[in-house]
């Protein structure tokens, strides 16, 4: 079974989703939704997560989370694990509540924070559950615009000050920002290899050569973190050395490498075997 690659470090921003097993509901009523929010609060306090946006749907949820100390996997394991135990106990069920592992996309905060916040709170509108985002109780939208103090774990001030230094003006600007693109396409369509959402410069921060195979990691995600094949031509003295180094990352197939360097599979294979000799 393949498993998604995780990029974890302090200050990382992620769009996270988790869906019900076999598309089943993960919330039966408002009590379930309230317990999930309480569990999220506990996770944020323990692992120092800051939530910019969230939305509870029927069979899945979205959160936009910044891990101030890292530890995304630990926090998500606690969130889904504790909630699953509660859900099964309350409803007399057994087995998995969530469909496998959660899905996390590393996000370029400067480029996509606002777009993803809007995308998340508009989920109920796109699903035609409500006409306007303020009509959905179970998202961060109403908390962001409320006059009452927000929960400590919800990063409303850092979000709103991107619109205006004055809170009343910022809230109105945020409201207009969300309503201006109710039918906006998902920014997630720009995700690279189901792993990173950001421009080329952002992606390159996480590209590094490796000679260690990552068992179970999809090749498409390994490729996302490997330097582009063109980089090997500039860092190795000969074509054969470049071919062998690229193949050693386990991110590219021999066919892909041969095609890039304009050689036959036989020639590429010979270069790899030559480099492997002591």
């Amino acid at each position: 079974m393949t498993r998604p690659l995780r990029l974890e470090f302090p200050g990382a921003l992620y769009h996270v989703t988790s869906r019900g097993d076999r598309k089943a509901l993960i919330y039966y009523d408002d009590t379930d939704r309230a317990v999930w929010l309480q569990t999220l609060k506990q996770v944020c306090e323990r692992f120092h997560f800051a939530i910019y946006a969230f939305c509870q749907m029927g069979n899945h949820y979205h959160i936009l989370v910044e891990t101030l100390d890292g530890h995304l996997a630990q926090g998500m394991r606690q969130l889904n694990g504790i909630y699953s135990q509660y859900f099964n106990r309350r409803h007399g069920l057994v087995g998995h509540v969530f469909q496998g592992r959660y899905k996390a996309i590393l996000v370029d905060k400067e480029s996509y924070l606002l777009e993803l916040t809007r995308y998340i709170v508009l989920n109920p509108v796109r699903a035609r559950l409500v006409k306007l985002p303020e009509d959905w109780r179970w998202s961060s939208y109403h908390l962001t615009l409320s006059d009452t103090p927000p929960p400590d774990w919800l990063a409303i001030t850092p979000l709103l000050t991107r619109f205006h230094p004055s809170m009343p003006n910022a809230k109105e600007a945020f409201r207009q920002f969300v309503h201006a693109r109710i039918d906006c396409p998902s920014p997630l369509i720009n995700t690279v290899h189901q792993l990173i959402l950001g421009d080329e410069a952002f992606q390159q921060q996480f590209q590094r050569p490796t000679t260690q195979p990552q068992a179970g990691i999809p090749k498409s995600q390994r490729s996302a973190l490997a330097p582009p094949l063109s980089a090997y031509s500039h860092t190795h003295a000969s074509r054969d050395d470049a071919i062998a180094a690229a193949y050693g990352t386990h991110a590219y197939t021999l066919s892909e490498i041969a095609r890039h360097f304009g050689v036959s599979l036989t020639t590429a294979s010979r270069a790899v075997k030559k480099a492997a000799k002591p």
Side-chain angles (χ1 to χ4, degrees):
M1 175 185 293
T2 59
R3 57 189 174 90
L5 186 61
R6 303 293 186 217
L7 294 174
E8 297 193 23
F9 56 90
L13 181 71
Y14 304 91
H15 173 263
V16 178
T17 56
S18 197
R19 297 185 178 275
D21 191 39
R22 299 183 180 181
K23 300 182 180 181
L25 293 175
I26 60 174
Y27 312 110
Y28 283 179
D29 54 27
D30 288 356
T31 298
D32 289 345
R33 295 180 185 276
V35 170
W36 183 87
L37 284 172
Q38 178 63 24
T39 307
L40 178 62
K41 171 182 179 293
Q42 294 169 354
V43 168
C44 290
E45 290 173 348
R46 178 176 178 183
F47 295 99
H48 300 118
F49 287 1
I51 306 296
Y52 286 91
F54 72 85
C55 187
Q56 297 168 282
M57 298 296 284
N59 64 359
H60 68 283
Y61 65 76
H62 296 257
I63 58 175
L64 187 59
V65 53
E66 184 175 7
T67 56
L68 303 180
D69 294 340
H71 311 304
L72 175 70
Q74 289 178 272
M76 290 305 304
R77 186 159 53 245
Q78 178 168 313
L79 175 61
N80 282 359
I82 290 177
Y83 182 75
S84 293
Q85 292 173 16
Y86 150 81
F87 187 84
N88 282 342
R89 183 172 59 250
R90 180 179 183 224
H91 298 294
L93 301 173
V94 294
H96 297 292
V97 174
F98 294 99
Q99 179 183 304
R101 296 177 176 89
Y102 61 92
K103 181 178 180 181
I105 296 172
L106 180 65
V107 176
D108 180 354
K109 185 175 181 179
E110 296 307 313
S111 300
Y112 284 100
L113 173 65
L114 299 183
E115 288 294 334
L116 279 172
T117 298
R118 174 163 60 186
Y119 167 76
I120 288 172
V121 300
L122 284 175
N123 261 263
V125 178
R126 286 193 302 274
R128 299 184 179 180
L129 299 174
V130 293
K131 290 185 177 181
L132 297 172
E134 47 264 48
D135 296 333
W136 188 254
R137 291 177 56 200
W138 302 105
S139 82
S140 56
Y141 184 78
H142 70 285
L143 293 172
T144 303
L145 297 181
S146 175
D147 291 331
T148 60
D152 291 341
W153 48 269
L154 195 60
I156 287 177
T157 299
L159 173 68
L160 289 178
T161 51
R162 288 173 174 256
F163 291 92
H164 198 277
S166 163
M167 281 298 105
N169 291 337
K171 289 179 181 181
E172 176 58 22
F174 176 73
R175 188 193 67 78
Q176 293 181 15
F177 172 75
V178 172
H179 279 255
R181 295 293 303 276
I182 282 182
D183 59 346
C184 65
S186 169
L188 297 172
I189 60 175
N190 298 317
T191 303
V192 177
H193 299 299
Q194 301 179 347
L195 184 65
I196 299 176
L197 180 59
D199 61 19
E200 186 174 347
F202 182 74
Q203 297 170 40
Q204 288 177 351
Q205 296 179 54
F206 310 101
Q207 291 176 341
R208 59 185 68 87
T210 176
T211 58
Q212 297 299 319
Q214 296 167 297
I217 300 298
K219 188 178 79 67
S220 63
Q221 293 192 350
R222 296 199 304 268
S223 299
L225 302 187
L229 285 170
S230 58
Y232 293 92
S233 300
H234 302 301
T235 55
H236 291 81
S238 70
R239 182 195 66 190
D240 285 359
D241 288 344
I243 289 173
Y247 187 72
T249 65
H250 307 278
Y252 302 102
T253 66
L254 197 59
S255 295
E256 290 171 330
I257 295 169
R259 186 163 51 250
H260 172 80
F261 285 95
V263 300
S264 67
L265 270 174
T266 301
T267 299
S269 178
R270 190 181 299 121
V272 170
K273 290 179 180 178
K274 177 182 176 183
K277 290 181 179 179

